[in-house]
Amino acid sequence: MKNFLAVIALVVATSAACAETIVPSFKEETATSGLKSIYKGDWQYMVGGGITAFDCSGDGKPEIYAAGGLNKAKLFINNSKPGGTLKFSEARKTGLEFDHVTGAYPLDIDGDGILDLVVLRVGENKIMRGLGNCKFTEANKLWNIDGGNAWHSAFSATWEKGNRLPTLAFGTYIDPKFEDDPWGHCGENTLLRPNVDQKSYAAPIKLNPSFCTLSMLFTDWNHSGIASLRVSNDREYYMGGQEQMWKVLPGEAPKLFTEAEGWKFIRLWGMGIATADFNNSGFPSYFLSSMADQRMQILADGAAKPAYKEAQFAMGTTAHKPYAGGDERPSTGWHTQFEDVNNDGRYDLFIAKGNVDQMPDFAQKDPNNLLLQKEDGTFMEAGEKAGILSFRNHRGAQLVDLNADGKLDLVVSARHENLQAWRNVSTTLGHFLEIKLQDSGPNRNAIGALVEVKEADGKVMARENYVGGGHMSGQAGFLHFGIGAQKETQIRVRWPDGTQGAWQAIKADKFAVVEKPGTVKVLK
């Protein structure tokens, strides 16, 4: 009997240990990383400060492009050794040294296999065509894109069926003409579609009403094969506005989803959008960062209508006040991102935090959140224990594998202070996969694809490959998946044209390219 009870106790103890959430460990390496950039500026730079991660050197590791506001934006070449300390050097004469930059998003617009860069600015946006080896040339005239003269604050892109060029969406904040009286004076958002010749863009389509937008995301919310445009707006300055989602159907003018179609009226100080099927529901959920009331929205009634319910408070994702520092006032969220930070096969959630400036009703000491998803589906705060506690006024960010070791590192910008960089130095994480997609058509990077990875518990971790969202902080390259204790698993891709690839076996801890229709080429 004693032996039987001992065995039972051992099983219980082992199960409890297995269920314990692994907290990653980060080491700040800002001072030695070579990343020196300050997002500077007052009124028109209180939002923005994007951090962009994309490989322009061709070595598989992401470079960092940091918005500077009144300072020049900077591109940093990634010199980090695999698994080593973070090492970057500032690139010179790349074509990207603009001032007034608020953020940027990478994508291969012309399908030549080289990433281009959409640079958002206070003033004229710059559409920069990649030439290779981290050199860029302005392509506004080449592609007939009017960069405008507005306070640009959001971007997203998708490929509509039959088009060689992507459809581009641009969001604006306050109309600069009304700086002295900003309330109710939001700039106009626009949609750009290709001309008939598929070589340049037609005149902009106005997305009105526009409500001071700070994040946009083309997303296939119901797996219909057609992406809709979610738009998050800042209620601080609009009058009569709300959050929005546009139907963007091929050959038709964009139209807003209405309450009659299931869209629910919601207002918040919308700063950023993140998406993931974090709860294995089969459909993406959306996290909306804001002041005071961060929102996790979950599809309520299936694929027929875009009706979303708010996650319950007990789930632990409200992140409505600081967890450290002693300031009990409401938090202010900016860039937000779903990633599996501890490689356990469950999505975690990062939120960059920081007061707009000196808003007295909101926390001044407002640390970034690292919310780890536990086995029961709830989230726990781990920012301080993980080593990323910081009280700067943060804005843009990227959780991304900077040194090619399968562990996600962190770069975060801040107003009026140097950005910060942390290396993930964890030694107890699960296994990983990093997957890059390559399509056969003009949409070379398969924007709009859905990547699925089988987890040990029988569930599937799904990831939509998109351009947009966050807070003016874009990313392109390898998609990261944690797979826990598995040493081998299976992956498959639903391509943008709806083609479903077959399940393909792949060993753990690999970097791989998946070519349409599903050929897996392991790089290392």
Side-chain angles (χ1 to χ4, degrees):
M1 184 67 176
K2 287 184 178 180
N3 289 339
F4 175 75
L5 292 176
V7 170
I8 294 296
L10 179 61
V11 170
V12 171
T14 302
S15 299
C18 291
E20 185 177 352
T21 302
I22 299 171
V23 177
S25 180
F26 288 85
K27 177 184 178 183
E28 185 172 359
E29 295 186 345
T30 305
T32 58
S33 68
L35 293 169
K36 295 181 179 179
S37 179
I38 296 174
Y39 185 67
K40 180 183 178 182
D42 293 321
W43 165 245
Q44 287 187 310
Y45 305 95
M46 62 182 177
V47 300
I51 298 292
T52 303
F54 70 117
D55 176 17
C56 62
S57 64
D59 67 353
K61 300 191 305 292
E63 273 66 56
I64 293 294
Y65 185 60
L70 290 179
N71 286 332
K72 296 282 188 184
K74 295 181 180 181
L75 179 68
F76 295 93
I77 304 300
N78 192 342
N79 303 312
S80 308
K81 300 296 183 183
T85 57
L86 303 182
K87 295 292 181 182
F88 289 82
S89 58
E90 184 179 345
R92 308 288 183 180
K93 297 181 180 180
T94 65
L96 300 178
E97 296 84 2
F98 299 111
D99 54 12
H100 307 297
V101 173
T102 54
Y105 289 84
L107 75 162
D108 185 356
I109 293 175
D110 55 359
D112 65 355
I114 302 173
L115 286 170
D116 311 304
L117 195 65
V118 174
V119 181
L120 303 178
R121 302 174 69 235
V122 175
E124 183 186 25
N125 288 334
K126 299 292 185 180
I127 315 303
M128 305 302 295
R129 182 169 179 263
L131 302 176
N133 197 29
C134 295
K135 302 294 183 184
F136 296 82
T137 186
E138 187 175 334
N140 290 50
K141 291 183 180 179
L142 174 66
W143 292 326
N144 192 38
I145 297 175
D146 183 351
N149 184 25
W151 186 343
H152 295 102
S153 52
F155 175 78
S156 191
T158 189
W159 262 262
E160 295 185 76
K161 186 178 181 180
N163 286 346
R164 290 197 58 82
L165 294 175
T167 295
L168 311 177
F170 292 89
T172 66
Y173 200 45
I174 299 163
D175 188 330
K177 296 193 298 291
F178 298 96
E179 180 177 332
D180 294 332
D181 182 24
W183 286 272
H185 295 295
C186 296
E188 288 185 324
N189 298 340
T190 55
L191 188 79
L192 295 184
R193 280 172 158 160
N195 274 315
V196 176
D197 64 8
Q198 294 293 317
K199 295 180 180 179
S200 61
Y201 284 89
I205 301 168
K206 295 180 180 179
L207 295 176
N208 284 329
S210 299
F211 297 126
C212 290
T213 297
L214 287 177
S215 193
M216 288 176 149
L217 180 62
F218 272 112
T219 174
D220 189 357
W221 62 274
N222 61 352
H223 296 324
S224 66
I226 299 176
S228 300
L229 181 65
R230 282 202 69 136
V231 181
S232 196
N233 302 308
D234 183 2
R235 68 180 294 176
E236 183 74 13
Y237 294 103
Y238 64 65
M239 294 180 181
Q242 60 169 301
E243 297 293 284
Q244 299 168 302
M245 187 157 74
W246 293 85
K247 285 182 285 188
V248 184
L249 302 177
E252 297 184 19
K255 296 179 182 178
L256 282 169
F257 280 97
T258 65
E259 289 189 64
E261 294 171 299
W263 184 251
K264 294 184 179 180
F265 180 86
I266 176 177
R267 286 178 174 170
L268 67 159
W269 290 274
M271 310 295 198
I273 305 172
T275 182
D277 182 9
F278 78 94
N279 58 354
N280 301 106
S281 69
F283 296 101
S285 296
Y286 299 91
F287 186 82
L288 309 175
S289 61
S290 176
M291 293 196 296
D293 52 349
Q294 328 291 322
R295 304 287 186 94
M296 179 78 87
Q297 293 201 311
I298 301 169
L299 192 64
D301 301 315
K305 56 184 180 179
Y308 286 85
K309 62 183 179 182
E310 307 293 340
Q312 295 181 345
F313 180 82
M315 185 175 285
T317 57
T318 57
H320 56 288
K321 65 179 182 178
Y323 61 87
D327 196 327
E328 293 292 322
R329 289 171 290 183
S331 276
T332 303
W334 299 92
H335 181 79
T336 183
Q337 188 174 342
F338 282 105
E339 296 286 354
D340 185 358
V341 183
N342 52 11
N343 290 349
D344 63 358
R346 296 188 291 269
Y347 277 109
D348 308 308
L349 182 63
F350 173 81
I351 314 165
K353 293 284 189 70
N355 198 290
V356 174
D357 193 6
Q358 296 291 326
M359 295 187 74
D361 293 333
F362 295 87
Q364 292 291 329
K365 298 183 72 173
D366 198 2
N368 302 324
N369 295 102
L370 182 60
L371 300 174
L372 302 179
Q373 187 178 177
K374 299 189 292 185
E375 192 173 52
D376 64 1
T378 63
F379 289 76
M380 57 175 274
E381 179 58 60
E384 185 170 12
K385 190 173 181 180
I388 64 166
L389 186 70
S390 174
F391 295 106
R392 299 183 184 183
N393 278 0
H394 300 103
R395 291 296 188 268
Q398 287 297 336
L399 267 172
V400 62
D401 184 0
L402 293 173
N403 59 353
D405 62 356
K407 296 181 286 191
L408 294 170
D409 309 298
L410 178 63
V411 182
V412 191
S413 73
R415 285 191 72 199
H416 307 301
E417 295 185 79
N418 198 69
L419 57 75
Q420 290 176 285
W422 289 267
R423 178 166 62 99
N424 191 330
V425 295
S426 307
T427 58
T428 59
L429 303 187
H431 294 289
F432 73 91
L433 293 174
E434 299 215 12
I435 304 297
K436 184 182 290 186
L437 302 181
Q438 186 171 315
D439 207 336
S440 54
N443 181 6
R444 286 288 295 269
N445 300 124
I447 302 305
L450 185 74
V451 184
E452 297 176 300
V453 175
K454 286 187 177 180
E455 299 295 338
D457 58 6
K459 295 178 180 177
V460 172
M461 192 175 193
R463 180 161 185 155
E464 187 178 4
N465 189 27
Y466 57 81
V467 175
H471 183 71
M472 302 187 220
S473 299
Q475 184 181 130
F478 287 98
L479 304 176
H480 179 91
F481 296 87
I483 56 172
Q486 295 183 100
K487 294 183 180 180
E488 184 175 341
T489 186
Q490 295 183 45
I491 63 174
R492 73 176 178 182
V493 179
R494 188 203 69 192
W495 298 92
D497 65 2
T499 303
Q500 181 74 68
W503 286 105
Q504 302 284 325
I506 186 171
K507 293 187 181 298
D509 303 330
K510 299 297 183 182
F511 291 74
V513 174
V514 181
E515 297 179 348
K516 189 179 180 184
T519 305
V520 178
K521 293 187 175 181
V522 175
L523 304 180
K524 56 180 176 177

